[in-house]
Amino acid sequence: MNKNIEKIILEKVDSTNTYCKELIRNGKTNDFLVISNEQTAGRGRLGRSFYSPKDVGIYMSLALRYDDDFNLVSVTTKTALSVLEALKEFTDKTLKIKWVNDLYLDNKKVCGILTEGCYNDESKFIIIGIGINVFETEFPDELKEIASTLNIKENNKEKIVDRIVCHILYYLFSDHNNEYIKKYKEHSNCLNKDIHYFKNDIKYFGHVIDFTEDGELVLINSENKTIVLNSGEISIKTV
Ligand code: BTN
């Protein structure tokens, strides 16, 4: 792994993202990666929780320092593509990206990504939190219909994590031509599809026609107007 990233491996933690924030607020000034075998309070987007039982998943947070010319807007979409490409090295199952950054297998979620900012007097960090259902597991009733697992047979969590980090570093720091967005579109499950999107709990209709270079969603709404949505407080459902 290049970029000299310190690796912190834990058996159990509330949330690897929260743990990163604590380290940063206590003065960390280097890039680092936290991996835990279990989370007791895994967090997802929009205040949701992320089911993180022990042994069967990858729960990791990559904390990277950034400066003023760094493009924060595209971090989540670039991360989704990075995780998908890394996972393809370990499974031949077809994964799809549900905008913004969930990975789906046969219409069920196998991976969620939560990116957050945090800073101290010395450095600004982006924390990229990734949760993947990797091995065989039973989901609780409320998740059975919506979550799935990659069901990878070999226990190669460490290798998977290393490959994910490599792909992320490439897309965040070396993809100078934004080639990522072309690939992102190829793996999207909502391009050219009708969707509903939810903003402040109100349901709207749209037809997705494109993504911007920053990974924002371009759609035609029910009044036939083209609008651009960034991830903010929005969630979508394919119709
Ligand atoms: C989502 O589904 O909305 C995002 C889920 C992100 C889960 C990962 S697991 C590692 C990291 N720590 C957390 O508390 N959340 C992220």
Side-chain angles (χ1 to χ4, degrees):
M1 193 186 293
N2 53 7
K3 225 184 186 287
N4 222 1
I5 295 172
E6 179 192 358
K7 218 185 225 184
I8 300 167
I9 299 180
L10 307 172
E11 181 51 36
K12 186 171 173 172
V13 72
D14 51 358
S15 146
T16 52
N17 269 32
T18 307
Y19 190 80
C20 286
K21 286 187 180 177
E22 284 160 13
L23 293 184
I24 292 165
R25 288 180 186 137
N26 285 330
K28 257 222 169 307
T29 53
N30 57 301
D31 299 327
F32 62 101
L33 169 68
V34 176
I35 308 162
S36 182
N37 190 38
E38 179 182 2
Q39 293 186 122
T40 53
R43 296 188 288 109
R45 285 181 66 237
L46 308 174
R48 297 182 186 129
S49 59
F50 188 80
Y51 178 63
S52 317
K54 74 174 193 176
D55 295 334
V56 293
I58 287 176
Y59 316 114
M60 60 184 275
S61 298
L62 180 61
L64 299 171
R65 288 161 301 161
Y66 67 91
D67 48 32
D68 290 339
D69 57 9
F70 182 73
N71 181 354
L72 277 173
V73 186
S74 59
V75 171
T76 44
T77 38
K78 285 177 175 169
T79 301
L81 177 66
S82 302
V83 177
L84 183 144
E85 288 190 342
L87 290 176
K88 277 168 75 75
E89 296 173 22
F90 300 89
T91 175
D92 46 19
K93 294 187 170 132
T94 304
L95 298 172
K96 287 282 174 192
I97 302 172
K98 181 180 166 209
W99 188 79
V100 187
N101 54 11
D102 288 336
L103 297 189
Y104 273 64
L105 170 66
D106 298 331
N107 292 320
K108 289 184 176 178
K109 180 163 160 172
V110 288
C111 166
I113 295 164
L114 175 69
T115 48
E116 300 181 292
C118 190
Y119 60 92
N120 57 31
D121 290 344
E122 294 278 305
S123 318
K124 282 185 283 189
F125 285 84
I126 178 92
I127 301 169
I128 304 174
I130 302 166
I132 312 167
N133 306 324
V134 183
F135 303 122
E136 188 173 6
T137 183
E138 271 285 304
F139 290 98
D141 284 348
E142 68 274 18
L143 293 180
K144 274 191 175 128
E145 298 300 316
I146 53 174
S148 185
T149 169
L150 295 170
N151 213 342
I152 288 177
K153 296 293 172 212
E154 207 183 320
N155 193 343
N156 42 17
K157 263 205 230 182
E158 279 214 31
K159 268 200 233 155
I160 298 176
V161 170
D162 279 355
R163 294 303 298 148
I164 290 172
V165 173
C166 283
H167 282 265
I168 291 176
L169 294 180
Y170 171 74
Y171 283 116
L172 293 192
F173 299 105
S174 310
D175 174 17
H176 303 296
N177 297 320
N178 262 353
E179 63 173 283
Y180 94 93
I181 196 67
K182 183 170 167 279
K183 294 190 187 162
Y184 182 93
K185 285 181 202 175
E186 283 166 17
H187 297 293
S188 161
N189 76 347
C190 66
L191 186 60
N192 302 321
K193 299 244 170 79
D194 291 338
I195 59 154
H196 287 134
Y197 65 96
F198 298 82
K199 199 172 180 180
N200 301 328
D201 281 338
I202 302 174
K203 186 172 170 182
Y204 301 89
F205 169 83
H207 182 79
V208 180
I209 53 169
D210 204 0
F211 295 92
T212 67
E213 294 233 315
D214 283 333
E216 295 151 314
L217 194 70
V218 185
L219 52 82
I220 298 181
N221 69 10
S222 49
E223 286 150 17
N224 231 7
K225 288 202 178 98
T226 302
I227 58 168
V228 176
L229 298 178
N230 62 37
S231 59
E233 294 300 300
I234 288 162
S235 67
I236 67 168
K237 275 197 172 62
T238 41
V239 177

